């Protein structure tokens, strides 16, 4: 019933997959670069900038949603998937997570690379990144899960049904005043959980190792 419903469940899934893919890739690229700079490069104001970055984690999204919406509205990106992708390409938490991982790497590796004439980009690409698999896996799963299940921001930015994401589609299946069939809604929820579950099953070893090595306990 979910797959044959008048509400396009397939389309919602494809929209969510596209947004989640680009947000995850963006956070892996920007987060790893910024984390390497904060962990291994020396530049003026490094600790102050990192402190400001951590302070941004205490600002809830509800505080910044109005100015971001006004900005996206002026550049005609409301009701567009770019309104969800572009503001989410960076993550302060992702930078913090990967920085903690890069800090655990032996300094001798980077000292030896400097002696051989390697610059910051070569050290990032050939030394730090190949060893950051567990940290990148942890950030991938966290970002994927957060973006895939996001309900608040798509509700604000998206208007037309053709562009809506999976959480909005599940809400639409509930119907007006919860008049929809509960069993259909639960079936849709079960289908929406599958991608996250499959990703975690494939990457759980790296995820657990990455969380452990970065010092985040829960």
């Amino acid at each position: 019933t979910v797959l044959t419903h008048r509400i396009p469940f397939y389309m919602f899934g494809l929209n969510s997959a596209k947004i989640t893919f680009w947000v995850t890739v963006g956070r892996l690229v920007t987060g790893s670069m910024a984390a390497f700079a904060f962990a291994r490069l020396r530049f003026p104001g490094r600790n102050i900038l990192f402190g400001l970055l951590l302070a941004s984690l205490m600002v809830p999204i509800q505080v910044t949603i109005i100015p971001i919406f006004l900005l996206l509205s002026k550049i005609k990106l409301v009701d567009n998937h770019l309104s969800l992708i572009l503001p989410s390409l960076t993550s302060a938490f992702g930078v913090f997570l990967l920085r903690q991982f890069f800090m655990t790497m032996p300094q001798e590796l980077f000292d030896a690379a400097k002696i051989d004439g390697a610059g910051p980009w070569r050290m990032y690409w050939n030394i730090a990144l190949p060893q950051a698999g567990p940290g990148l896996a942890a950030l991938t799963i966290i970002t994927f899960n957060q973006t895939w299940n996001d309900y608040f921001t798509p509700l604000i930015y998206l208007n037309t049904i053709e562009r809506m994401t999976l959480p909005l589609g599940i809400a639409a299946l509930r119907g007006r005043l919860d008049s929809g069939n509960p069993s259909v809604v639960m079936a849709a929820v079960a289908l929406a959980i599958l991608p996250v579950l499959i990703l975690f099953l494939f990457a759980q070893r790296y995820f657990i190792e990455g969380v452990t090595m970065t010092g985040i306990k829960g």
Side-chain angles (χ1 to χ4, degrees):
T1 302
V2 172
L3 299 179
T4 58
H5 200 277
R6 59 184 177 81
I7 294 177
F9 192 80
Y10 281 120
M11 184 183 299
F12 295 147
L14 290 176
N15 291 339
S16 288
K18 180 177 77 172
I19 294 169
T20 302
F21 173 79
W22 288 114
V23 170
T24 302
V25 171
R27 289 191 180 183
L28 289 176
V29 173
T30 60
S32 61
M33 288 183 177
F36 177 77
F38 281 121
R40 292 299 173 183
L41 301 184
R42 300 291 182 267
F43 53 89
R46 183 185 67 164
N47 294 331
I48 296 175
L49 289 175
F50 187 68
L52 291 174
L53 183 74
L54 293 182
S56 68
L57 290 172
M58 296 184 287
V59 180
I61 188 175
Q62 289 79 8
V63 174
T64 59
I65 194 70
I66 294 178
I68 293 177
F69 180 87
L70 294 176
L71 174 63
L72 293 174
S73 179
K74 286 185 178 180
I75 59 178
K76 310 297 183 183
L77 285 183
V78 174
D79 197 27
N80 190 311
H81 289 162
L82 289 176
S83 63
L84 300 175
I85 296 172
L86 293 179
S88 303
L89 289 179
T90 60
S91 167
F93 173 77
V95 175
F96 168 72
L97 181 75
L98 293 178
R99 175 188 177 271
Q100 298 303 105
F101 190 87
F102 287 141
M103 292 289 287
T104 64
M105 295 180 181
Q107 180 61 34
E108 290 77 10
L109 289 175
F110 301 97
D111 292 338
K114 288 180 182 179
I115 294 173
D116 291 337
W121 173 256
R122 181 60 66 95
M123 288 190 290
Y124 162 78
W125 186 257
N126 291 102
I127 298 177
L129 208 58
Q131 299 184 69
L136 294 174
L139 182 59
T140 298
I141 293 176
I142 293 171
T143 303
F144 187 96
N145 185 54
Q146 178 186 5
T147 310
W148 183 263
N149 293 323
D150 187 19
Y151 176 79
F152 178 71
T153 48
L155 182 65
I156 299 296
Y157 294 129
L158 302 180
N159 301 322
T160 56
I161 194 169
E162 292 82 8
R163 294 183 175 89
M164 290 185 177
T165 58
L166 210 51
L168 298 182
I170 293 174
L173 285 173
R174 292 175 57 188
R176 187 177 179 84
L177 300 176
D178 290 341
S179 59
N181 189 336
S183 61
V184 175
V185 176
M186 294 306 296
V189 171
L191 290 175
I193 289 173
L194 281 178
V196 181
L197 180 62
I198 293 172
L199 177 65
F200 179 76
L201 289 177
F202 276 103
Q204 61 178 327
R205 180 170 66 88
Y206 299 102
F207 173 73
I208 295 172
E209 182 180 351
V211 171
T212 302
M213 293 184 68
T214 50
I216 298 178
K217 305 288 193 299

